[in-house]
Amino acid sequence: RGCPSRTANGAPRRGRRLWRVRASSFAARVEGRLAAGFVRGSRASDGARLVERYRALGWSVERDGRPWDGGALHRAADHALPTAFVRLAPGVSVNLFLWPDDEIAFDVDAREIHDQHTLDAVCRFLAQTGRALATDVDLCPEGTTTPFLRYTRQADSVGRCP
């Protein structure tokens, strides 16, 4: 169960600093590891809706090094699956995986999350993704499906998970 720490618009609640309790999830000992995210109940076809939301928020979205509008997804010539790059803030980005016949997934490089400001950018991403698709969004340590952060649609907040 998450402990709400963000208001409905994704801003930090007064007096709560999520960074203090979640810093260890991004600590130097996990350097080079990726925090993996999952958008529950989503499909790759939801990608266009997400890209539209992200662009409206002023986040750049790229595919193959060029701005991407969320159009048709095709495997690359080397058969790689479609991946989009979302820049949330200077130095903070998300790899968004829009794989056919699977839930949308993403990852965040733990080395980019080093203070409350950068964690706020990730929390805003979780909230905006969940709102766009009306679903819960989890952020888990790499290689697990046990979240340490979760956007919960019902509470419309991002919170820590025990």
Side-chain angles (χ1 to χ4, degrees):
R1 193 182 87 160
C3 175
S5 61
R6 319 294 296 167
T7 62
N9 70 2
R13 290 190 190 278
R14 201 174 192 112
R16 292 190 174 216
R17 298 306 285 175
L18 188 57
W19 178 248
R20 280 187 253 161
V21 296
R22 280 296 156 223
S24 63
S25 299
F26 300 99
R29 66 182 167 70
V30 296
E31 185 169 319
R33 295 192 58 194
L34 302 173
F38 304 96
V39 184
R40 305 277 174 209
S42 62
R43 299 177 309 278
S45 59
D46 293 326
R49 193 170 356 153
L50 286 179
V51 170
E52 182 179 319
R53 170 70 63 103
Y54 300 156
R55 290 171 55 125
L57 292 166
W59 297 339
S60 71
V61 181
E62 300 173 1
R63 182 149 186 265
D64 300 323
R66 293 184 300 276
W68 184 51
D69 64 2
L73 293 170
H74 303 286
R75 288 182 182 259
D78 65 358
H79 300 288
L81 293 167
T83 302
F85 180 78
V86 183
R87 188 173 315 280
L88 309 177
V92 182
S93 58
V94 172
N95 293 310
L96 185 65
F97 305 107
L98 304 167
W99 297 331
D101 304 320
D102 204 355
E103 290 183 320
I104 293 172
F106 58 91
D107 63 36
V108 179
D109 188 331
R111 295 171 293 188
E112 295 180 356
I113 313 306
H114 48 79
D115 59 16
Q116 185 67 46
H117 177 73
T118 54
L119 181 58
D120 285 347
V122 172
C123 288
R124 188 170 181 216
F125 174 83
L126 296 176
Q128 292 297 332
T129 299
R131 287 181 192 129
L133 301 180
T135 191
D136 294 349
V137 181
D138 291 341
L139 189 61
C140 310
E142 184 178 32
T144 76
T145 57
T146 304
F148 60 87
L149 286 177
R150 172 179 285 152
Y151 167 78
T152 306
R153 177 181 175 246
Q154 186 174 358
D156 192 25
S157 67
V158 173
R160 61 188 170 102
C161 296

